[in-house]
Amino acid sequence: MAQFSQYTNKTADSVLSLLSSDKTAGLNPAEVAKQLSQHGPNEVSESVQGWIVLLRRQFESPFIYLLLVAAILAYALGERIDGSMIVLFVLINATIGFYQEFRSEQTLKLLRQYVIKETRVRRGGSEQLIPSRELVPGDVVIIEPGDVLAADMRVIDETNLVLDESVLTGEAVPVEKNTAPLREQATEIFNASNIVFSGTSVASGKGLCVVIATGRDSILGNVSKLTAETVRVSGFAKGIGRFSSFILRLVMVTLIFIVLVNIALKGTSNVADLIIFAIALAVSVIPEALPVVTTFSLSRGALHLSKHHVIVKRLSAIEDLGSIEVLCTDKTGTLTENALTVADLFSASDAKPVFLASLGAPFLTEKKKQPNNAFDIALWAKLPSHDRERVHAYSRIDEIPFDPVRRRNSVITAAGSDRELIVRGAPEDVIPLCVGQREIRARIESWLAQAGTRGQRVIAVAHKRLAQQHGTLAAEERELHFAGLISFIDPLKKTTKDAVAKAKRLGVAVKILTGDSKEVAGAVAYEIGLVSDVTHGITGAEFDRLDPQKRRAAVDAHAVFARVSPQQKYEIIKVLQETHLTGFLGEGINDAPALKIADVALVVQGASGIAQEAADIVLLKKSLQVIVDGIHEGRSVFVNTVKYIKATLASNFGNFYAVAIASLLIPFLPMLPIQILLVNLLSDFPMIAIAADTVDASELKKPKGYDIKEIVLIATVLGIVSTVFDFIMFALFYRISPEVLQTNWFIGSILTELVFLFSVRTRLPFFKTKRPSAVLLWLSLTAFVATIMLPYIPYSAKLFHFTPPSPKHLVMILAVVSVYFIITETVKIMYYRMQRA
């Protein structure tokens, strides 16, 4: 049970006594020192992402470790150029990633909110302004409109006190607070009508409160603790980790086999050269440009998203965003505007319910020109300008503020000699005080029922003219004239319906997790097409009562989760993650644990500091549409990354097996170690350009993850084709001389990799797909020309042991490459057709 619960059913005086405090004098200095020693400073630890942490993060990948081992092996072979290129790729990757994430962290420092610096308290009989970190249980605190609260507190005195708790509950409507003890202890935030919580803000009115929990013991502290204890491994890291492990195991098993068979067939006379050859083969098959390809892709994605007002804190989150299957979102401020408006009116005869309701607003008592309560702001916006002037002409004579027992507020206003009693509040409490509405009773009930199904909040307005000499307000609160009903709604954002529809087309299920009521959340879900019935939803309390198996069924079956606490949001996300990659969009303190555990954590500008710390992506524009655009961008990044993996696996492994097996058939090495590494180097530059390649629309329709089996299967099928053509190249030239075979196989290996890239970049026939990016075309052309020219340049021919190929041999190589491209295209198309069938 939460710590605040024990104070909800106690009187204000008993709470003060329990905390050794006094309403007028507050705590004495000795008690302050005692409490500070016992509970510590009023602080919630905040993790700081220093530059060292960000830099270290760039190297925390199994694939980076694999590349560094490959670089060491290359240096051990004396191949400094290839070793240096691998190190350069790693450094480029780390630099780009570090720069992007460091810049995002610096930008976020400007967005930090909820930094509470000072609080007004009563201590030792006097009012003082103290640093909020020095607050202790028992401190008597004075709160006013605009204050952001620094601790959990019990209300001991108030005047029309209204709080904005949306940061904790997600509910747009401000909550009225009072001093009355509850009959039973409240265990949920939204039931604690006499408690104010850390991180929330005062919307209107004034209050005197006593601190009951600070730091780690407060609601904010509990959320922070759960957030800090949650460890997340991104989907991107999991996928790359599996891929790295697969490559490592496959390469090691194959190399051991090749070395042992070579020794068995040829003896141990040339073991040193054989081992060097095997190591060179191992280095050649490792796709060392993968980190650069992914980082370039992710950086381009981050740049595109920044133009849509999105800050990416963790680069790999872009790709994770493209892979999500479920997007959980808060309702208020994301799907809706987080601003109440008047939705509909029910007027009795010629009465003006909006005008009368505005006369009953507390802001007139507080001598303010503009209302600051969400309901009153909506009423004020609905009023014509001439009626606003009329409202300011009235004065307030008497008032009974709203309280949760009466569920209404009553005022007597005066304009000249006219006296008017106005009562507004819950329909079931106001209507019984009225007379003369029997003939419209059925219409009223029907109207209320319709408003309820739409998730609208309704107030009833009644009035009564009074003589100048009248009784007390309480005595006059009878035989009122029913003026009408006013319904309020937090309207949908204009982009919400389209964004939800687009998410469905992208194969992403949207689910609402909110602290708001089931009726309101259900109405919003119905309006945007998530549910077919407004009652289709589940509350946090109902979810808690389910066993683990039924919880799994519930998270799939329901799109609406209402009245959920931070712990319940966390549990819902956790259950969803058992079968789905899940993203979560939130902004409040209550969202932090769910953000921390989600595969992709998104927050909006102005989110609580703890939520921003847990986030991967920050939206400067509150809109679901921005997220859907991000999903599209993430999928583009993913598709290009997989293109590179398929291309490099198929071509590298095809060449790897051909060269390895050929080494068993001839008394010399089919390709020298330095030539193998040069093949690797020259083919990598066009491969890197895949990061900027265009993507077919069909590739973006569904969420995708790193399906290692599918990637390996297509790479194996196309790799076999590559191996076959490598053997054709071997058969054509191995009888001539070692130098001719090595040179011509070198040229053929690179040219086949280049044309293969243009085949594997799409599932469609190459002539039906989108045109390749300009950078891919130019780098491929450059690599093609360099490959042909190197054997004819004396220096490079000597350095890499090439012999210039004859014109006849060049024609034969180009012919083999052309046939290879045609066969590869044919096999690819047949493979994907069989896969669809």
Side-chain angles (χ1 to χ4, degrees):
M1 186 176 292
Q3 183 159 329
F4 71 83
S5 300
Q6 60 184 302
Y7 300 102
T8 55
N9 63 342
K10 292 181 171 64
T11 65
D13 288 340
S14 63
V15 172
L16 285 165
S17 176
L18 189 65
L19 295 169
S20 303
S21 190
D22 181 81
K23 179 178 179 179
T24 305
L27 291 175
N28 60 54
E31 189 63 29
V32 169
K34 177 184 174 184
Q35 293 287 352
L36 191 59
S37 174
Q38 182 177 345
H39 296 279
N42 180 33
E43 294 177 324
V44 176
S45 59
E46 182 177 299
S47 62
V48 179
Q49 297 286 347
W51 69 269
I52 294 178
V53 175
L54 294 177
L55 184 61
R56 188 175 65 239
R57 186 193 293 173
Q58 311 311 314
F59 296 92
E60 292 175 348
S61 163
F63 201 80
I64 295 295
Y65 303 150
L66 192 61
L67 289 183
L68 292 175
V69 170
I72 292 169
L73 293 176
Y75 281 122
L77 289 173
E79 304 301 337
R80 295 182 180 179
I81 294 176
D82 206 75
S84 298
M85 289 305 301
I86 295 173
V87 172
L88 180 62
F89 285 150
V90 171
L91 292 178
I92 289 172
N93 169 72
T95 302
I96 294 172
F98 171 76
Y99 172 74
Q100 179 67 39
E101 295 186 12
F102 180 75
R103 188 179 62 177
S104 296
E105 282 292 330
Q106 295 306 304
T107 304
L108 281 172
K109 286 181 180 179
L110 302 177
L111 300 176
R112 301 292 187 196
Q113 294 207 359
Y114 303 106
V115 179
I116 306 109
K117 293 183 178 180
E118 293 181 317
T119 300
R120 187 173 296 280
V121 301
R122 289 178 181 172
R123 279 185 178 177
S126 64
E127 286 190 12
Q128 304 174 27
L129 201 61
I130 66 167
S132 296
R133 68 184 303 274
E134 295 179 8
L135 279 176
V136 296
D139 264 325
V140 175
V141 177
I142 301 161
I143 59 174
E144 297 177 333
D147 287 351
V148 179
L149 308 185
D152 294 351
M153 296 179 273
R154 169 68 158 85
V155 181
I156 56 177
D157 198 3
E158 55 87 23
T159 304
N160 298 330
L161 182 61
V162 178
L163 262 74
D164 178 358
E165 292 185 341
S166 60
V167 71
L168 277 183
T169 65
E171 190 165 355
V173 178
V175 180
E176 289 159 338
K177 296 293 181 177
N178 61 81
T179 61
L182 304 180
R183 292 180 181 177
E184 296 180 354
Q185 289 188 5
T187 57
E188 301 291 347
I189 292 170
F190 47 81
N191 290 329
S193 58
N194 52 18
I195 305 291
V196 294
F197 297 99
S198 54
T200 63
S201 58
V202 180
S204 63
K206 298 178 181 180
L208 193 65
C209 308
V210 59
V211 175
I212 57 175
T214 60
R216 290 174 295 178
D217 297 325
S218 67
I219 283 292
L220 176 57
N222 291 334
V223 172
S224 299
K225 182 175 182 290
L226 181 59
T227 304
E229 290 174 350
T230 302
V231 178
R232 172 183 60 199
V233 180
S234 73
F236 175 81
K238 292 175 185 175
I240 293 297
R242 290 195 301 269
F243 177 64
S244 303
S245 299
F246 165 76
I247 289 180
L248 189 59
R249 289 197 300 269
L250 188 62
V251 169
M252 291 306 297
V253 169
T254 305
L255 287 181
I256 291 170
F257 174 77
I258 291 296
V259 169
L260 291 178
V261 172
N262 261 283
I263 291 172
L265 293 177
K266 302 177 183 179
T268 58
S269 60
N270 206 16
V271 172
D273 288 344
L274 183 60
I275 292 174
I276 291 174
F277 170 72
I279 292 173
L281 269 182
V283 172
S284 73
V285 83
I286 294 171
E288 68 271 17
L290 179 59
V292 177
V293 169
T294 55
T295 302
F296 272 139
S297 294
L298 294 169
S299 295
R300 286 181 75 251
L303 181 62
H304 291 166
L305 290 176
S306 69
K307 294 175 182 177
H308 296 284
H309 311 290
V310 176
I311 295 175
V312 180
K313 288 179 62 184
R314 176 174 63 87
L315 272 182
S316 60
I318 298 175
E319 187 167 290
D320 288 341
L321 182 59
S323 301
I324 63 170
E325 301 161 282
V326 178
L327 174 62
C328 298
T329 175
D330 191 17
K331 172 186 67 68
T332 307
T334 306
L335 305 179
T336 64
E337 295 285 359
N338 193 20
L340 287 183
T341 60
V342 173
D344 203 359
L345 297 172
F346 180 95
S347 283
S349 65
D350 60 348
K352 294 184 176 181
V354 175
F355 175 75
L356 292 169
S358 297
L359 281 180
F363 77 97
L364 291 175
T365 304
E366 298 165 5
K367 308 295 183 185
K368 294 179 179 177
K369 292 290 184 183
Q370 297 288 336
N372 56 7
N373 174 287
F375 286 103
D376 294 328
I377 290 171
L379 290 169
W380 195 250
K382 188 73 173 176
L383 272 183
S385 57
H386 65 274
D387 277 345
R388 293 182 188 181
E389 293 176 6
R390 287 178 60 203
V391 167
H392 283 302
Y394 280 78
S395 58
R396 187 75 53 97
I397 293 176
D398 198 4
E399 171 184 20
I400 300 177
F402 180 93
D403 72 64
V405 177
R406 283 167 36 90
R407 301 209 301 168
R408 63 184 184 272
N409 77 302
S410 307
V411 298
I412 297 177
T413 61
S417 59
D418 293 335
R419 298 285 187 274
E420 190 91 22
L421 167 62
I422 298 160
V423 179
R424 61 180 201 168
E428 55 269 34
D429 289 280
V430 173
I431 292 174
L433 302 176
C434 300
V435 293
Q437 84 282 0
R438 286 185 181 179
E439 60 276 10
I440 60 171
R441 184 74 187 200
R443 286 171 54 205
I444 291 173
E445 290 178 354
S446 174
W447 195 92
L448 286 170
Q450 289 181 7
T453 60
R454 297 190 194 105
Q456 297 171 351
R457 294 171 171 86
V458 179
I459 64 169
V461 184
H463 66 118
K464 176 182 177 182
R465 284 192 175 275
L466 300 176
Q468 286 197 353
Q469 300 297 322
H470 54 75
T472 63
L473 196 157
E476 294 289 355
E477 215 177 31
R478 58 186 176 81
E479 297 183 349
L480 305 175
H481 298 290
F482 177 69
L485 301 167
I486 307 171
S487 66
F488 299 83
I489 194 168
D490 182 6
L492 288 178
K493 287 180 178 289
K494 293 179 181 178
T495 58
T496 297
K497 284 186 179 180
D498 288 342
V500 170
K502 188 174 180 181
K504 283 185 177 180
R505 290 196 296 271
L506 290 172
V508 177
V510 177
K511 297 182 184 291
I512 299 174
L513 275 61
T514 180
D516 217 333
S517 70
K518 187 176 178 180
E519 294 75 19
V520 173
V524 170
Y526 177 79
E527 191 174 352
I528 62 179
L530 285 185
V531 296
S532 57
D533 189 321
V534 294
T535 62
H536 288 175
I538 185 172
T539 65
E542 290 168 343
F543 181 80
D544 275 347
R545 289 194 291 270
L546 300 176
D547 61 44
Q549 187 172 352
K550 288 182 178 178
R551 284 188 179 187
R552 294 186 189 98
V555 296
D556 283 331
H558 293 287
V560 176
F561 298 82
R563 291 296 188 206
V564 287
S565 67
Q567 180 67 41
Q568 288 161 347
K569 286 186 180 183
Y570 176 91
E571 291 297 334
I572 291 166
I573 299 289
K574 194 173 179 181
V575 174
L576 277 168
Q577 284 182 309
E578 292 178 9
T579 51
H580 304 288
L581 277 170
T582 305
F584 180 68
L585 171 65
E587 63 176 321
I589 294 167
N590 61 328
D591 294 324
L595 286 165
K596 187 70 179 289
I597 197 175
D599 294 298
V600 183
L602 306 103
V603 300
V604 294
Q605 181 184 13
S608 62
I610 189 173
Q612 287 186 16
E613 286 176 25
D616 300 314
I617 296 173
V618 180
L619 312 179
L620 302 184
K621 184 180 178 183
K622 266 189 175 182
S623 171
L624 190 64
Q625 182 65 51
V626 177
I627 303 172
V628 174
D629 291 341
I631 291 172
H632 193 277
E633 193 70 48
R635 289 187 185 174
S636 297
V637 171
F638 175 83
V639 169
N640 282 338
T641 302
V642 172
K643 280 182 194 178
Y644 170 79
I645 292 174
K646 288 179 179 178
T648 194
L649 268 187
S651 57
N652 283 8
F653 273 112
N655 191 255
F656 171 82
Y657 286 118
V659 174
I661 295 170
S663 70
L664 303 175
L665 306 177
I666 53 179
F668 56 89
L669 295 179
M671 200 181 296
L672 299 177
I674 192 171
Q675 294 168 345
I676 293 173
L677 297 176
L678 184 60
V679 168
N680 207 32
L681 180 63
L682 273 177
S683 61
D684 271 340
F685 285 103
M687 291 283 192
I688 292 172
I690 213 80
D693 195 21
T694 54
V695 176
D696 294 327
S698 59
E699 295 278 14
L700 306 176
K701 289 182 179 179
K702 293 181 179 179
K704 296 179 181 179
Y706 281 100
D707 186 344
I708 300 298
K709 289 183 180 179
E710 194 277 333
I711 292 172
V712 169
L713 186 58
I714 182 62
T716 300
V717 170
L718 297 179
I720 290 171
V721 175
S722 178
T723 301
V724 169
F725 276 85
D726 275 328
F727 277 121
I728 290 173
M729 199 77 67
F730 172 78
L732 288 173
F733 302 114
Y734 85 97
R735 289 188 179 91
I736 302 172
S737 73
E739 291 79 11
V740 170
L741 173 62
Q742 291 162 353
T743 301
N744 292 351
W745 202 347
F746 164 81
I747 295 173
S749 294
I750 294 181
L751 297 190
T752 52
E753 284 198 36
L754 292 178
V755 298
F756 177 71
L757 188 57
F758 287 89
S759 175
V760 81
R761 63 177 291 273
T762 176
R763 291 170 176 251
L764 302 173
F766 77 96
F767 54 86
K768 288 186 177 181
T769 189
K770 280 188 175 182
R771 181 181 175 180
S773 64
V775 66
L776 177 59
L777 287 169
W778 280 108
L779 280 178
S780 297
L781 181 61
T782 301
F784 184 93
V785 172
T787 300
I788 300 294
M789 294 300 296
L790 278 173
Y792 294 99
I793 300 171
Y795 175 78
S796 58
K798 182 180 179 181
L799 177 65
F800 297 108
H801 307 286
F802 291 140
T803 184
S806 67
K808 179 184 175 182
H809 287 173
L810 267 182
V811 171
M812 291 170 65
I813 292 169
L814 292 174
V816 171
V817 170
S818 299
V819 175
Y820 167 74
F821 180 73
I822 294 169
I823 298 298
T824 295
E825 271 289 288
T826 304
V827 171
K828 177 194 74 175
I829 293 167
M830 290 175 61
Y831 172 83
Y832 285 123
R833 281 180 181 172
M834 290 174 61
Q835 192 183 51
R836 286 194 296 271

